[in-house]
Amino acid sequence: MNPQDIKSMTLAEIQADFSKTGLPAFRARQVFHWLHRGAASFDEMTDQSLAFRSTLSEQYYIAGAAVEKKQKSKLDGTVKYLFRLHDGELVESVVMDYHHGRTICISTQVGCKMNCAFCATGKSGFSRNLAPSEMLAQIQAAQADLGTRISNVVMMGMGEPLDNYENVLRFLELVSSSEGMNIGMRHISLSTCGIVDKIYDLAEKKLQLTLSISLHAPNDEIRSRTMPVNRRWGVGELLKACRYYGEITGRRISFEYAMISGVNDSDACAKELAGRLKGTLSHVNLIPVNNVTGAGFQKSSADRLKRFSAILSEKGIPVTVRRTLGSDIDASCGQLRRRYNKEVDSVESLQ
Ligand code: SAH
C-alpha cells in the first residue's frame, strides 16, 4: 500500500482512518496538532510511542518543503524562497512585511496552464497541482526558517488556484482550522485570472476570504490578447460573476490591474474600466507591470499611473497603487524558478 498524504487529511478523516486500520483514534488529534505545528517527521512526535510512530511512517508520509534557495531584499526585507518538494519539483513563495502583519504569498501549482502573456510562470509550462499539504508546507517552512509566525496568506504565487479548486478548498479548511494553524479567512486572499464557473461555486461557500481578480484590461479586445482565459470567459461574464459573488458574500472584490505601457494604460482604458466596475463592490489595485524577460512589456510611467488612478477616483472607484516589494530579488511570480532552472540548465550543459 502506498503511504498516504496525512497532512492533507482533515482531523475527522485521520480519526476515521485510524479506526479503520486499528490505530488508536484518540491519538488522531495529537498527531493533527503535530502536523500543523510543522513536524517534518513522525519521529518528532515524542509523546507518541515508538511502535505507533513506526506504524504511522509505514502508512503515511508528511509533505514538506525544503529551502532550495533563499533571497532577501536589501530594500525592504522581503524574503523569497524557492522550495523543493518531495518529487524534486520547485515552487516559489514570498514573505513580505506589511503593517498589518507578516504575509506569505504561496504557490498552488507547479507551473500554470493559463499562459498570460506578461507572466513568468506560464512561460515554464505546467507540471502538476500542489496538494493541500504542500500549500501548508510552504507556510510552515518559511515560519521555521524565519523563526516567526506568519499571520496572512495570499494565494498569488505560481499557479491558478481555481484550476486546482478541490485542493485549494481543502487547504483553506485546514489552514483556518482552530486546531491547526488557525489563520482566519479574513487573513487570506485568493487571486484568480477569472475561472468563472468556480467563482460561482466559491460564492456559495460564503467564505470570508478576499477574492482578487486579475483583470488587467477593461475590454475583451485587450484582455484576450494578454490573457488567453478571456477567450473562454469574457470580461462581461467575469464581471457578472463578480457582482454575484459580492451580493452573496457581502465581500468587496479586489481587482488587480498590471499597468503595461501602451497596452492597457490610456485615459480611455481608465474611463472604460470605471464604467464597467460601476455598481460592483470593488477596489482596484494598480501595479506597474514587472518586466519579464521575453514578454516584451514595459511598465507604465509614474505619471501615467497617477493619471489612471485619478480618473478611477474621480469616477468613484476606490483605487490604490501597489507598493513594489522585493524588486531587487525578482520577487514576482515565477521569476526565481525560471531563472534558477535556466542556471541549472546552463551548468548542466557545461558538464
Ligand atoms: N493565477 C492567479 C494567481 C497567480 S498570479 C491569478 O492570475 O490571479 C499573481 C498576480 O500576479 C496576478 O494578478 C497576475 O496577473 C500578476 N502578474 C503576473 N505576472 C506579472 C507581471 N509581470 N507584472 C505584474 N503582475 C503580474
Side-chain angles (χ1 to χ4, degrees):
M1 203 182 73
N2 278 340
Q4 302 270 315
D5 173 9
I6 191 168
K7 205 159 62 186
S8 288
M9 295 164 75
T10 62
L11 176 55
E13 285 169 343
I14 299 175
Q15 279 162 342
D17 219 47
F18 279 11
S19 302
K20 206 174 63 198
T21 53
L23 293 172
F26 72 95
R27 297 263 176 226
R29 177 167 268 112
Q30 294 162 347
V31 170
F32 188 86
H33 290 164
W34 276 110
L35 292 169
H36 293 270
R37 262 185 264 134
S41 77
F42 295 106
D43 282 336
E44 286 178 33
M45 303 183 182
T46 45
D47 57 352
Q48 307 297 320
S49 74
L50 273 177
F52 180 53
R53 273 147 49 187
S54 138
T55 311
L56 286 177
S57 60
E58 283 160 19
Q59 296 193 5
Y60 305 101
Y61 72 91
I62 304 177
V67 179
E68 177 77 13
K69 195 171 167 149
K70 175 183 172 185
Q71 289 179 318
K72 186 165 180 172
S73 165
K74 291 188 184 66
L75 304 173
D76 52 49
T78 296
V79 181
K80 175 144 188 163
Y81 291 101
L82 188 65
F83 288 123
R84 181 173 290 273
L85 306 174
H86 68 93
D87 59 353
E89 292 285 8
L90 300 169
V91 292
E92 294 177 18
S93 316
V94 181
V95 180
M96 297 152 288
D97 270 327
Y98 286 125
H99 55 89
H100 54 268
R102 200 159 278 116
T103 299
I104 188 165
C105 173
I106 62 161
S107 295
T108 55
Q109 296 180 315
V110 184
C112 188
K113 295 179 208 156
M114 300 301 138
N115 219 1
C116 300
F118 43 77
C119 180
T121 301
K123 308 241 171 295
S124 320
F126 173 79
S127 297
R128 67 172 175 86
N129 283 327
L130 292 191
S133 57
E134 293 174 315
M135 300 175 208
L136 294 168
Q138 295 170 60
I139 311 173
Q140 294 170 332
Q143 283 189 158
D145 181 69
L146 296 170
T148 50
R149 180 178 145 81
I150 290 170
S151 51
N152 301 279
V153 177
V154 299
M155 308 177 91
M156 272 201 189
M158 297 165 59
E160 168 48 49
L162 297 188
D163 185 41
N164 185 14
Y165 188 54
E166 294 304 324
N167 285 344
V168 162
L169 284 182
R170 183 172 276 259
F171 161 76
L172 291 170
E173 182 183 343
L174 291 169
V175 79
S176 61
S177 155
S178 58
E179 306 240 23
M181 295 174 79
N182 199 17
I183 300 181
M185 288 289 178
R186 287 178 183 276
H187 298 269
I188 301 177
S189 297
L190 185 155
S191 180
T192 177
C193 63
I195 313 278
V196 164
D197 54 346
K198 298 295 190 300
I199 295 175
Y200 281 109
D201 197 282
L202 190 65
E204 304 303 336
K205 312 265 185 240
K206 297 191 173 63
L207 303 177
Q208 291 301 299
L209 52 75
T210 300
L211 182 65
S212 283
I213 304 288
S214 299
L215 191 58
H216 305 321
N219 58 46
D220 288 335
E221 196 254 313
I222 302 175
R223 196 164 193 265
S224 291
R225 244 191 297 144
T226 48
M227 300 182 70
V229 68
N230 198 70
R231 295 173 206 152
R232 172 85 164 80
W233 293 285
V235 175
E237 267 184 287
L238 174 57
L239 293 180
K240 192 169 152 211
C242 290
R243 276 191 292 277
Y244 180 79
Y245 186 93
E247 279 158 23
I248 292 279
T249 63
R251 308 277 302 162
R252 184 179 297 275
I253 292 184
S254 181
F255 289 95
E256 307 295 312
Y257 198 99
M259 297 278 289
I260 313 175
S261 182
V263 174
N264 62 358
D265 65 347
S266 66
D267 286 3
C269 283
K271 287 175 192 154
E272 192 175 1
L273 181 64
R276 296 199 82 153
L277 292 183
K278 199 116 221 138
T280 309
L281 199 55
S282 63
H283 173 105
V284 174
N285 206 359
L286 298 176
I287 316 141
V289 77
N290 269 298
N291 203 345
V292 171
T293 327
F297 293 120
Q298 298 303 321
K299 62 173 69 136
S300 308
S301 69
D303 279 352
R304 219 16 11 242
L305 240 93
K306 238 190 248 163
R307 176 85 188 117
F308 199 95
S309 140
I311 294 173
L312 291 178
S313 285
E314 275 161 28
K315 301 207 175 283
I317 308 290
V319 55
T320 44
V321 175
R322 193 197 282 171
R323 243 178 350 134
T324 310
L325 291 175
S327 54
D328 56 333
I329 54 165
D330 291 340
S332 68
C333 189
Q335 296 192 47
L336 180 62
R337 173 172 178 262
R338 197 159 168 242
R339 158 128 27 122
Y340 182 83
N341 278 340
K342 271 202 194 125
E343 277 169 12
V344 174
D345 280 353
S346 55
V347 170
E348 279 170 358
S349 64
L350 288 175
Q351 287 165 349

